[in-house]
Amino acid sequence: MPILDLYEHGDHRNNLAHFATLASLAAADGDINPKEMAILEKFAFKLNISEDEFKEVMKKENKYPIETPHSGEKRFKRLFDFFQIIFSDHDIDDEERRIVEKYAVGLGFSPKTAAQIIDKSIKIFRGEIPFEDYHELVKRES
């Protein structure tokens, strides 16, 4: 039975699905190198993935596809959730960015659009948005 079947609903299932997708992305170009493994271990910690779940996901025969939502809003929601996870330690490093770019492309964004969305998302999550963007967001919610 696939490990994802163990979790019917809930945040942990979503976290496990995110992690399984990341592991598949890291393995897409062959074996997972030590740098990628370190990143995956970091994400496993952030996502509260147990050691047993980690081992199960990392088995070579377990490759999980990215579930691509048809709705643009759902794609952005997946990226938003993912950025919340990444920024749980208040930073994103180069390897994390490379993986999130692959994830965004897997969700259906073009590489150029993915890079632009990620640049903007990083600024937002770091609190580096320009006043004009802040003002527009605040006005929209009023």
Side-chain angles (χ1 to χ4, degrees):
M1 167 171 46
I3 193 165
L4 291 178
D5 290 345
L6 298 175
Y7 299 94
E8 299 274 329
H9 304 288
D11 291 337
H12 190 72
R13 186 189 190 293
N14 288 337
N15 287 351
L16 192 55
H18 276 303
F19 181 73
T21 298
L22 294 175
S24 293
L25 287 170
D29 57 356
D31 289 331
I32 296 174
N33 66 43
K35 254 185 167 176
E36 290 170 326
M37 184 59 77
I39 294 294
L40 289 173
E41 289 169 353
K42 189 169 152 180
F43 275 120
F45 178 78
K46 288 180 179 183
L47 293 166
N48 199 29
I49 303 300
S50 73
E51 188 176 332
D52 288 340
E53 291 167 334
F54 185 90
K55 288 177 183 175
E56 183 66 26
V57 168
M58 297 309 294
K59 288 181 180 176
K60 286 199 182 285
E61 64 271 15
N62 289 341
K63 296 298 171 232
Y64 302 94
I66 296 176
E67 297 174 16
T68 304
H70 296 288
S71 153
E73 183 176 340
K74 287 182 181 179
R75 289 179 191 177
F76 279 106
K77 175 69 171 128
R78 291 257 177 99
L79 279 178
F80 178 78
D81 290 345
F82 195 49
F83 270 100
Q84 286 184 308
I85 294 162
I86 290 170
F87 276 90
S88 66
D89 64 356
H90 309 291
D91 198 20
I92 182 171
D93 61 34
D94 291 339
E95 284 296 311
E96 287 175 322
R97 183 189 169 105
R98 187 178 65 76
I99 289 175
V100 78
E101 283 182 6
K102 280 184 169 183
Y103 188 67
V105 170
L107 286 173
F109 295 103
S110 72
K112 181 180 177 182
T113 301
Q116 291 170 341
I117 291 168
I118 291 163
D119 287 341
K120 289 178 183 178
S121 297
I122 289 170
K123 287 179 181 177
I124 290 167
F125 276 86
R126 283 186 176 156
E128 301 171 358
I129 62 172
F131 172 74
E132 294 79 17
D133 293 343
Y134 164 78
H135 190 237
E136 186 61 36
L137 290 169
V138 173
K139 281 189 340 187
R140 194 177 308 158
E141 295 300 318
S142 301

